[in-house]
């Protein structure tokens, strides 16, 4: 995904193909591209690892994540480990993963880490806690963060706010895409629940 203010040509972005394969659901290709990427910085390496482990989780292969990520791993990877635990567990374990995520988000600098915040959004969406999705991604820095914020607004039946969020990432004066109701950015895994009052 492109990052506003940090646009790169595909030839300069070593994770371009991995990122796009993940976005369209080609998880094995995303893993292969991530493994083959020649990363030159700690930031790119962190993004590669998060992307690769998220792809493993989407394939249902959480064991790899649980075995390779530990308490000494960077915060974003620890969030991925919590996501793996959340998706492969019963209700009690899910709540333990949510509690662990809340502790992780309370650490200094956590909410300014876009990789961590996107992973956190996956867990909060699973809980249908869209207010927490918005809280953790309100300072969106990447297209994927804007996507999860849009998804949260759609699930809260606030299409007006979803449209405004999409407008933030479109070129100036471009019309809004006509994909009702904007779920093309971050399709919900389950239909939105009936409208409820949000305060």
């Amino acid at each position: 995904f492109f990052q506003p203010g940090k646009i790169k040509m595909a030839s300069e972005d070593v994770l371009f193909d991995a990122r796009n394969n993940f976005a369209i659901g080609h998880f094995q290709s995303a893993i292969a591209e991530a493994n083959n990427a020649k990363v030159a910085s700690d930031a790119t390496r962190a993004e590669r690892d998060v992307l690769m482990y998220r792809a493993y989780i989407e394939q249902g292969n959480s064991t790899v994540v649980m075995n390779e990520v530990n308490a000494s791993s960077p915060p974003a990877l620890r969030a991925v480990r919590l996501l793996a635990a959340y998706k492969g567990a019963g209700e009690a374990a899910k709540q333990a993963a949510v509690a662990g995520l809340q502790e992780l988000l309370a650490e200094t600098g956590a909410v300014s880490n876009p990789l961590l915040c996107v992973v956190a959004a996956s867990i909060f969406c699973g809980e249908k806690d869209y207010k927490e999705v918005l809280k953790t991604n309100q300072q969106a820095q990447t297209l994927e963060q804007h996507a999860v914020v849009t998804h949260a607004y759609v699930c809260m039946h606030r299409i007006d706010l979803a449209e405004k969020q999409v407008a933030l990432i479109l070129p100036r004066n471009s019309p809004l895409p006509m994909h009702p109701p904007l779920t093309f950015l971050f399709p919900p895994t389950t239909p939105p629940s009936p409208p409820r009052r949000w305060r």
Side-chain angles (χ1 to χ4, degrees), residues 126-195:
E127 291 291 294
K128 294 183 172 55
D129 191 346
Y130 304 116
K131 291 177 70 175
E132 283 297 323
V133 175
L134 299 178
K135 179 180 175 181
T136 54
N137 289 275
Q138 60 184 343
Q139 302 297 329
Q141 302 175 45
T142 67
L143 181 58
E144 193 171 12
Q145 282 187 287
H146 283 288
V148 298
V149 170
T150 302
H151 172 66
Y153 283 138
V154 168
C155 290
M156 294 166 70
H157 301 274
R158 291 303 308 270
I159 306 303
D160 56 326
L161 296 179
E163 290 177 340
K164 289 180 180 179
Q165 190 65 212
V166 172
L168 291 175
I169 57 176
L170 289 176
R172 185 171 296 180
N173 299 323
S174 293
L176 283 174
M178 300 302 292
H179 295 254
L182 302 177
T183 53
F184 64 100
L185 276 176
F186 198 79
T189 54
T190 57
S193 55

Side-chain angles (χ1 to χ4, degrees), residues 2-81:
F2 109 71
Q3 299 182 7
K6 300 180 181 179
I7 302 177
K8 296 182 179 181
M9 297 300 291
S11 60
E12 299 174 348
D13 185 352
V14 297
L15 295 178
F16 182 85
D17 290 332
R19 198 180 297 114
N20 283 328
N21 274 305
F22 181 88
I24 62 177
H26 293 176
F27 302 119
Q28 190 56 48
S29 294
I31 292 169
E33 292 289 350
N35 275 320
N36 292 332
K38 294 180 173 60
V39 296
S41 69
D42 289 342
T44 305
R45 184 174 295 105
E47 184 181 359
R48 178 201 63 188
D49 291 347
V50 168
L51 187 65
M52 180 178 66
Y53 286 128
R54 287 175 66 196
Y56 276 120
I57 293 171
E58 292 300 328
Q59 287 185 322
N61 193 359
S62 296
T63 303
V64 172
V65 184
M66 302 301 288
N67 289 341
E68 297 184 8
V69 180
N70 53 50
S72 64
S73 298
L77 284 179
R78 282 186 275 146
V80 174
R81 193 178 198 278

